[in-house]
Amino acid sequence: MMRATLSGVGVLVLLFAGGAVCAAQTLREHADRAGLLVGAAVEPRYFSEPEYAATLAREFNMLTAENVLKWGAIRPSRARFEFGPGDRLVAFARKHRMKVRGHTLLWSEYNPRWLVEGGFTPAEMSAMLREHITRVMRHYRGKIFAWDVVNEVFLADGSVEPSVWYDRPGIGLKGKGTAYVEQAFRWAREADPDVLLFYNDYDTEGINPKSDAVYAMVKDFKRRGVPIDGVGIQAHIVDLEAKDLATMEANVARLVALGLQVHITEMDVGLPVDAAGRPRDEAALGRQAEIYRQVAEACLRQKGCTAFQTWGFTDKYTWIPDFTKGAKGLPLPFDSRYAPKPAYEALLEAFRRRALTP
Ligand code: G3I
């Protein structure tokens, strides 16, 4: 009797769970059930657009500032910190019970002119970087759960890129490889003992000289107790054919094996478009969906890959056409009228399956 009843109960639980999962309709609901984060990069200036706000809050449980938390936006002058747009972003997230990822405290690009052309000494740059990391992180403490502390320091061959923070003039650690990255992580941990600290980069999906350099740096940091919690893999796929996705799962697995979390942080898949912005080949939308599925599954199959994020979410607002001078576009899961594309269906299916996997 007991046994029969148990299996009866077991069946009931499964039906209920299956029912709950089957009841899930949106990306967010499937992600919530899988205990995962699904996010998008956003611009607060679009929050007043009803369909932008509604689609974002319905489909995602996490968001990131595409630009408003970068030096170029948050530091109009040496004395001033412009927290307004970032605060609006945090307020939107709080209203819709979404998590906020911070991007980024140190990057070679989008730095204010007063800093880049200021003729500062390495000692002055060092003091300003420490002040910036401390002030910005303290302002968002308890409101941002993870930060891209450092973004994009490696070149394709794995060497360290020259930059205002490394050697032009740098913060006094010129010629010492990633020592300036380590310093930034140590200041970040001092500023906030609880937030997750990430290193973020592009063209590091599969195993290649650049992702090997990232792996070597974070493995060394973990070994020496440098505070770091995770690695962000951007997954910008601007050329449908180019990417080495075949080794992506192995790359994610080796990072997770170091005890680090992995986040897919900036996914988009640019399609060749004509002068009117229409896809040159309708079939490319299917290929795009296949790539979204591949990257999502390479992440979702690894327990340590805890967040999947796209760089924007609607084709209406994306950096790709400017960057490709109009050659590419339509890179995101929703079209410019906020209708779901095959890419969205591919993500939905990947998260639905993940939510069913105990
Ligand atoms: O805010 C100014 C505005 O006042 C001015 O009128 C306008 C015209 O020049 O420029 C606006 O700033 C632009 C900013 O985006 C906000 O829209 C900058 O020119 C433009 O360069 C900046 O581009 C951003 C780029 O990073 C540089 O920060 C893109 O939107 C953003 O998608 C892109 O994101 C990066 C990630 O941070 C790191 N990984 C690669 C990714 C794509 O490049």
Side-chain angles (χ1 to χ4, degrees):
M1 183 59 191
M2 187 58 173
R3 190 176 302 288
T5 316
L6 269 178
S7 63
V9 172
V11 169
L12 272 177
V13 169
L14 263 180
L15 274 175
F16 176 76
V21 169
C22 297
Q25 300 297 324
T26 66
L27 209 41
R28 177 175 185 162
E29 287 166 346
H30 285 301
D32 285 344
R33 282 190 176 76
L36 289 167
L37 296 170
V38 64
V42 301
E43 290 279 14
R45 65 176 181 264
Y46 303 138
F47 287 165
S48 55
E49 197 182 310
E51 218 163 351
Y52 184 93
T55 307
L56 178 61
R58 184 188 70 232
E59 297 291 342
F60 300 93
N61 57 18
M62 177 180 81
L63 51 76
T64 281
E66 183 170 357
N67 287 299
V68 299
L69 293 176
K70 293 171 183 170
W71 271 83
I74 217 170
R75 298 295 299 280
S77 69
R78 184 171 182 180
R80 206 169 126 222
F81 286 77
E82 177 51 71
F83 289 123
D87 292 352
R88 284 196 291 283
L89 185 144
V90 165
F92 181 95
R94 182 156 285 190
K95 181 176 167 203
H96 298 284
R97 292 173 304 101
M98 303 168 81
K99 288 203 162 187
V100 181
R101 232 179 153 277
H103 176 81
T104 178
L105 297 161
L106 187 164
W107 186 25
S108 58
E109 289 186 38
Y110 204 48
N111 290 299
R113 187 180 292 242
W114 65 264
L115 180 86
V116 176
E117 297 171 3
F120 297 106
T121 65
E124 288 170 323
M125 292 294 287
S126 177
M128 287 192 291
L129 179 60
R130 183 175 195 169
E131 178 205 24
H132 182 85
I133 290 174
T134 306
R135 286 274 309 267
V136 175
M137 292 184 75
R138 295 251 163 96
H139 180 84
Y140 289 110
R141 191 166 174 195
K143 297 174 181 152
I144 286 182
F145 85 105
W147 271 100
D148 290 332
V149 178
V150 179
N151 189 51
E152 303 177 10
V153 305
F154 294 106
L155 296 170
D157 65 2
S159 62
V160 173
E161 180 183 18
S163 84
V164 68
W165 299 116
Y166 174 47
D167 58 352
R168 298 177 179 178
I171 62 169
L173 295 165
K174 180 177 177 175
K176 298 197 171 124
T178 58
Y180 82 103
V181 177
E182 173 177 342
Q183 181 58 78
F185 274 89
R186 290 188 185 283
W187 285 332
R189 180 53 73 222
E190 272 172 30
D192 186 336
D194 306 315
V195 75
L196 296 177
L197 306 179
F198 276 71
Y199 172 76
N200 191 49
D201 216 325
Y202 67 95
D203 285 354
T204 53
E205 291 73 34
I207 295 184
N208 58 45
K210 189 172 178 177
S211 66
D212 285 345
V214 174
Y215 178 72
M217 177 183 73
V218 295
K219 185 177 182 187
D220 168 58
F221 282 7
K222 288 293 284 182
R223 185 177 59 75
R224 293 189 295 109
V226 178
I228 185 168
D229 303 294
V231 171
I233 295 176
Q234 292 184 11
H236 287 292
I237 297 170
V238 180
D239 182 337
L240 285 178
E241 311 312 325
K243 286 286 170 172
D244 51 0
L245 296 179
T247 56
M248 182 168 185
E249 198 162 334
N251 186 35
V252 173
R254 67 174 175 170
L255 292 165
V256 169
L258 293 175
L260 293 166
Q261 291 189 41
V262 171
H263 285 179
I264 304 301
T265 53
E266 305 187 14
M267 182 151 191
D268 49 21
V269 181
L271 298 183
V273 294
D274 63 20
R278 290 183 302 257
R280 283 190 180 284
D281 166 9
E282 283 294 330
L285 288 163
R287 179 88 180 95
Q288 179 183 64
E290 174 52 24
I291 291 175
Y292 269 98
R293 184 193 63 73
Q294 238 182 315
V295 172
E297 292 193 351
C299 168
L300 300 183
R301 276 202 282 264
Q302 305 282 332
K303 282 264 174 289
C305 189
T306 54
F308 180 93
Q309 180 166 264
T310 54
W311 205 241
F313 58 97
T314 166
D315 292 337
K316 188 173 183 182
Y317 303 121
T318 162
W319 68 291
I320 298 250
D322 281 357
F323 180 73
T324 61
K325 299 186 176 43
K328 302 278 174 65
L330 314 175
L332 292 159
F334 292 89
D335 70 16
S336 59
R337 295 201 193 88
Y338 300 94
K341 294 161 59 179
Y344 172 82
E345 304 304 336
L347 288 178
L348 198 67
E349 181 55 17
F351 275 88
R352 189 189 70 77
R353 286 165 179 272
R354 181 64 180 76
L356 283 172
T357 324

